[in-house]
Amino acid sequence: MIDDKENTDPLKLSNQVCFPIYSVSRLITRAYQPYLKEIGLTYPQYLVMMVLWEEDHLSINHISERLLLNTNTLSPLLQRMESQEFIHRNRCNEDERSVIICLSNKGRKLKEKAASVPTDVLGLLTTENINLSEIQHLKGVLENWMQVLIKKQNN
């Protein structure tokens, strides 16, 4: 007979909602690594580039909000990206405290090389047990959770 206490123990790892999400996040990030290494990016840099490929000339604060990263986490990342010549950092003329991030020519060209990365990683995730509609459904659920948690943290 299974001990009911073990199945409801709030501190048992297998009873945690967060652990599988955390683990899958790390494993997916690891799955991206070989593809991103080929184009010279880390996963966090790739996220920044995707934001800038959508909309160039953004403030650090705007990028920080989009990626749910603190600016003190983002700043050293952006410095490395500038030294790699993927971006330029410029002080805003209207507000000297604000720094605007712009794609360099090298950063714009990198988009073509990165175009296959999402499909390549999706190919790894799609199996006989996991289909595209399940992946899309899970993405929607996680986006809803993100909105709920963001809203609760901002209150």
Side-chain angles (χ1 to χ4, degrees):
M1 184 169 165
I2 298 175
D3 181 7
D4 283 346
K5 184 177 189 249
E6 186 171 312
N7 290 331
T8 59
D9 181 354
L11 295 179
K12 187 174 180 194
L13 186 61
S14 62
N15 290 338
Q16 304 306 304
V17 171
C18 59
F19 183 69
I21 295 169
Y22 168 78
S23 298
V24 167
S25 174
R26 288 181 42 89
L27 290 166
I28 289 174
T29 300
R30 193 180 306 157
Y32 272 92
Q33 285 176 340
Y35 302 106
L36 297 178
K37 187 176 183 179
E38 284 183 31
I39 61 173
L41 292 174
T42 64
Y43 186 74
Q45 290 173 333
Y46 176 64
L47 296 177
V48 170
M49 294 302 289
M50 285 193 293
V51 169
L52 292 171
W53 289 328
E54 285 180 30
E55 184 180 356
D56 200 357
H57 299 85
L58 296 175
S59 70
I60 290 178
N61 287 339
H62 186 84
I63 295 170
S64 171
E65 288 172 13
R66 287 283 314 274
L67 297 178
L68 304 175
L69 291 173
N70 293 328
T71 56
N72 61 349
T73 301
L74 196 53
S75 291
L77 178 69
L78 294 171
Q79 287 174 343
R80 285 191 302 278
M81 292 176 74
E82 185 174 43
S83 71
Q84 293 173 283
E85 300 179 356
F86 292 130
I87 62 163
H88 300 292
R89 295 180 305 147
N90 303 307
R91 292 263 173 220
C92 179
N93 292 335
E94 294 82 36
D95 181 0
E96 291 237 349
R97 296 170 295 169
S98 183
V99 176
I100 303 298
I101 307 301
C102 309
L103 287 168
S104 66
N105 286 335
K106 183 178 176 182
R108 275 189 219 69
K109 290 177 184 174
L110 192 62
K111 184 177 182 180
E112 292 173 30
K113 292 180 182 177
S116 66
V117 172
T119 305
D120 292 338
V121 173
L122 194 58
L124 294 173
L125 297 175
T126 308
T127 67
E128 60 189 42
N129 297 325
I130 303 170
N131 63 44
L132 184 58
S133 65
E134 290 173 310
I135 293 169
Q136 290 170 331
H137 175 74
L138 177 60
K139 180 181 175 288
V141 169
L142 293 173
E143 288 171 342
N144 287 338
W145 286 13
M146 284 171 51
Q147 294 307 312
V148 167
L149 292 168
I150 290 167
K151 192 178 285 186
K152 287 188 184 245
Q153 289 177 9
N154 288 335
N155 288 337

